[in-house]
Amino acid sequence: MAKIAICGYGTVGSGVAEVITENADNIARNAAEEVEIKYILDTREFPGDPFEKYIVHDFSIIEKDPEVSIVIETIGGTKIAYEFTKRALLAGKSVVTSNKELVATKGHELIAIAKKNNLNYLFEASVGGGIPIIRPITQCLAANKIDEVYGILNGTTNYILTEMIKNNASFDDALHQAQSNGYAELDPTADIEGLDAARKICILSDLCFGKHVNPADVRAEGIRGVTSADVEYAKRLNCKIKLLGRALRTGHDTATAYVAPHLVSKSSLLSNVDGVMNGIVVHGNALGNTMFYGAGAGKRPTASAVVADVIDAVKHVKARKYLDWDDAPAGYFTDSAYVASRWYVRAATSLQQIGWAFDKVNFVTYPGAAADEYAFATDVYDENTVRKLTSGMTVRSMFRILD
Ligand code: HSE
């Protein structure tokens, strides 16, 4: 019998307790051993909660209990979560987490501690919520040289954009719904500003290209600047606006990553990834493009991925499997501004000014469009060039187009 402790009884932690209890038979069969909750750590009390009897407030109870072989960290953040993860590993317990911030910033160090102690540090739930993505990249796609990975990596912002596009919802109402559905981070700024997606694209980049990318180096633009006018213009360009995280190789031993809203062509599968769903496209040199799709946030989908890792940690006690990457050499991470694409521009300017700046553009409008602005799609330019070309205009929105 494997005994586990859940640290952090919030949305994901409570989902893990539910799934482990409800699916106990199935989990025991797949793990070849029963899995039982021994403790749930949280600072709060939970009177009347079905798992109340497991609640403890002191991590050292878990740390010192030799019966606990796996610690599930669903606290979030990089302070207490980091401390408890380290202490758990040093106390001989494998750790399973959904904490993308911790994996993106300290994953390399924590994996090294796990390896040294013949333990696991597993994080399938850190990217794409319930979507199997970490294992497929590192196992099923292992024969490929992966040169690009991109997609919709944040359920909250995809939910907000979908509500704005399909149901004309206001930004604030849609955010409120995402929060009550348990999709958003405790501080939803991380979702809205693209920081959550930036952490996830770092983890994907680390695994796909084998070298560490620091989230602080990744340019992240969120969805605050997306307006209903942009949504309307995008429709006329046969596109939908989606927040994408993207990582790509830029040379022999260089790569870049960024997060930004994009106009995604309706002919792309990603354009139909709506609501809380996430979609991740991986391009490998043998397989070509593969897309992974599913619930990117939420209590039970995320718990599904966490519990799968628990089963893995129980099963592979004697033959641990390590997901790892190297430190990046100086100069490995390049500026994403040099990545070229077509651009959508909405600007208060004159036709003459646009004509001076660009050889060719594709204008769009819609009934009710503001009289003092033009919206158009450009040819392919890198970001620095398009900014230079539009420097004489009052740019209201400027997003990449993903064809
Ligand atoms: N806040 C995150 C999201 C949770 O909305 O995608 C899942 O990582």
Side-chain angles (χ1 to χ4, degrees):
M1 160 111 48
K3 304 229 179 199
I4 62 155
I6 300 170
C7 296
Y9 194 50
T11 304
V12 180
S14 59
V16 170
E18 270 177 35
V19 171
I20 284 194
T21 311
E22 265 177 51
N23 295 347
D25 290 352
N26 199 46
I27 291 165
R29 195 173 63 245
N30 288 334
E33 202 174 330
E34 277 176 40
V35 175
E36 195 182 272
I37 300 169
K38 184 153 188 193
Y39 305 109
I40 297 177
L41 179 82
D42 204 286
T43 49
R44 300 163 292 178
E45 304 292 346
F46 294 87
D49 187 278
F51 296 95
E52 188 186 0
K53 66 177 179 204
Y54 301 113
I55 297 285
V56 293
H57 304 296
D58 178 2
F59 180 73
S60 61
I61 296 172
I62 296 167
E63 188 180 24
K64 287 183 192 146
D65 187 336
E67 269 193 356
V68 173
S69 57
I70 299 167
V71 168
I72 297 167
E73 184 270 299
T74 47
I75 300 169
T78 56
K79 294 197 176 88
I80 301 171
Y82 174 60
E83 184 200 322
F84 289 175
T85 300
K86 243 173 131 169
R87 281 170 61 183
L89 291 169
L90 293 172
K93 300 161 197 319
S94 283
V95 178
V96 169
T97 189
S98 57
N99 185 340
K100 49 261 156 152
E101 189 178 0
L102 187 57
V103 175
T105 52
K106 309 262 190 210
H108 189 43
E109 176 193 341
L110 294 167
I111 293 163
I113 300 174
K115 256 186 187 175
K116 202 169 155 207
N117 293 283
N118 188 32
L119 297 163
N120 274 128
Y121 181 59
L122 297 174
F123 44 88
E124 180 63 63
S126 64
V127 180
I131 306 175
I133 180 69
I134 303 285
R135 243 180 232 90
I137 282 177
T138 51
Q139 291 177 15
C140 315
L141 300 182
N144 287 261
K145 182 175 182 198
I146 296 173
D147 46 39
E148 183 165 356
V149 56
Y150 61 93
I152 297 166
L153 301 174
N154 182 269
T156 301
T157 45
N158 203 40
Y159 183 87
I160 294 171
L161 289 174
T162 305
E163 286 297 307
M164 284 170 71
I165 294 168
K166 282 197 169 161
N167 302 327
N168 284 327
S170 75
F171 184 97
D172 289 333
D173 284 350
L175 170 59
H176 188 67
Q177 284 168 33
Q179 285 177 300
S180 24
N181 291 345
Y183 304 152
E185 299 300 296
L186 269 187
D187 175 3
T189 317
D191 297 297
I192 308 300
E193 305 293 342
L195 305 177
D196 178 78
R199 291 163 190 152
K200 290 167 178 166
I201 200 64
C202 285
I203 298 171
L204 292 175
S205 179
D206 294 343
L207 291 168
C208 288
F209 309 149
K211 299 219 165 58
H212 181 65
V213 173
N214 186 349
D217 293 337
V218 173
R219 288 177 192 239
E221 180 186 344
I223 62 165
R224 279 268 178 216
V226 178
T227 67
S228 53
D230 296 319
V231 169
E232 291 302 326
Y233 287 123
K235 273 188 203 161
R236 271 72 185 180
L237 285 166
N238 213 24
C239 290
K240 273 195 201 167
I241 301 185
K242 297 286 182 191
L243 183 71
L244 300 187
R246 185 173 175 209
L248 59 158
R249 292 186 194 268
T250 52
H252 171 63
D253 197 17
T254 55
T256 191
Y258 67 89
V259 174
H262 285 63
L263 267 68
V264 176
S265 162
K266 284 191 184 158
S267 63
S268 155
L269 280 178
L270 275 182
S271 74
N272 288 316
V273 176
D274 283 336
V276 72
M277 294 297 166
N278 282 189
I280 303 162
V281 178
V282 183
H283 187 266
N285 65 346
L287 180 63
N289 274 346
T290 310
M291 187 168 119
F292 298 84
Y293 169 85
K299 178 171 166 162
R300 291 170 67 95
T302 311
S304 153
V306 170
V307 177
D309 273 347
V310 171
I311 293 171
D312 222 24
V314 172
K315 256 170 61 180
H316 296 110
V317 174
K318 295 220 172 79
R320 299 286 187 199
K321 288 190 276 176
Y322 294 103
L323 313 171
D324 204 0
W325 52 88
D326 298 327
D327 286 326
Y332 167 74
F333 190 80
T334 59
D335 187 346
S336 59
Y338 293 106
V339 177
S341 59
R342 294 204 299 133
W343 294 83
Y344 153 81
V345 180
R346 177 168 70 92
T349 183
S350 64
L351 283 178
Q352 196 183 37
Q353 178 82 43
I354 297 170
W356 283 333
F358 294 95
D359 287 341
K360 197 175 100 216
V361 295
N362 176 14
F363 285 103
V364 273
T365 189
Y366 66 94
D372 69 336
E373 68 183 23
Y374 289 97
F376 54 91
T378 73
D379 273 343
V380 175
Y381 299 102
D382 68 31
E383 186 171 347
N384 294 331
T385 306
V386 81
R387 287 203 187 281
K388 221 176 280 166
L389 292 173
T390 54
S391 59
M393 310 176 191
T394 306
V395 174
R396 293 180 174 160
S397 300
M398 193 165 79
F399 304 130
R400 290 177 189 271
I401 299 176
L402 184 83
D403 290 304

